[in-house]
Amino acid sequence: QVQLVESGGDLVQAGGSLRLSCAASGGFISINHMGWYRQAPGKQRELVARIFSDGNTTYIDSVKGRFTISRDNAKNTVYLQMNSLKPEDAAVYYCNALVRIRPTTVLAYWGQGTQVTISS
């Protein structure tokens, strides 16, 4: 069973920074891509950033230049460094990973979510 455990969510003032972490554990062969989604109250969950096994990254336009996603493959951990936080960044942030659990089986897993609250 693959588990994704997130940490780092907190209350921070607008303009501040936070670093989210997500560690994958359990039985698997490899991890393809890892990413962060967020969901604010009354809104759909959206992809914030994704990092692929080759290190390539993608970001939603609203966080480009402020957020940085990184990955430690040895630790099966993905990070999201969030700088210059804005009130509209407030949401529950979810870690997502596409995991190869068997040679011919790839499944998506989710973390439990971590709350990011921004005070203005």
Side-chain angles (χ1 to χ4, degrees):
Q1 182 71 15
V2 177
Q3 287 188 317
L4 302 179
V5 179
E6 300 136 334
S7 61
D10 206 344
L11 168 64
V12 64
Q13 284 190 329
S17 298
L18 280 176
R19 188 191 194 209
L20 306 183
S21 300
C22 171
S25 63
F28 54 87
I29 297 172
S30 62
I31 300 175
N32 290 10
H33 59 253
M34 300 183 80
W36 291 94
Y37 287 70
R38 67 186 180 188
Q39 187 167 21
K43 295 188 177 181
Q44 288 190 328
R45 189 173 297 189
E46 62 179 357
L47 175 62
V48 176
R50 177 175 283 163
I51 186 166
F52 296 86
S53 56
D54 61 1
N56 284 330
T57 59
T58 62
Y59 296 91
I60 192 172
D61 284 347
S62 61
V63 308
K64 286 180 180 178
R66 301 188 297 121
F67 290 12
T68 302
I69 190 170
S70 61
R71 179 172 171 172
D72 185 333
N73 290 327
K75 296 181 179 180
N76 294 315
T77 299
V78 64
Y79 306 95
L80 186 67
Q81 178 66 44
M82 305 186 294
N83 298 328
S84 302
L85 283 162
K86 303 176 180 180
E88 53 264 39
D89 294 318
V92 178
Y93 283 70
Y94 296 92
C95 177
N96 170 267
L98 193 64
V99 182
R100 186 171 297 280
I101 60 169
R102 288 188 289 273
T104 58
T105 304
V106 177
L107 296 176
Y109 291 88
W110 292 90
Q112 79 283 358
T114 186
Q115 179 72 51
V116 173
T117 304
I118 314 295
S119 63
S120 56

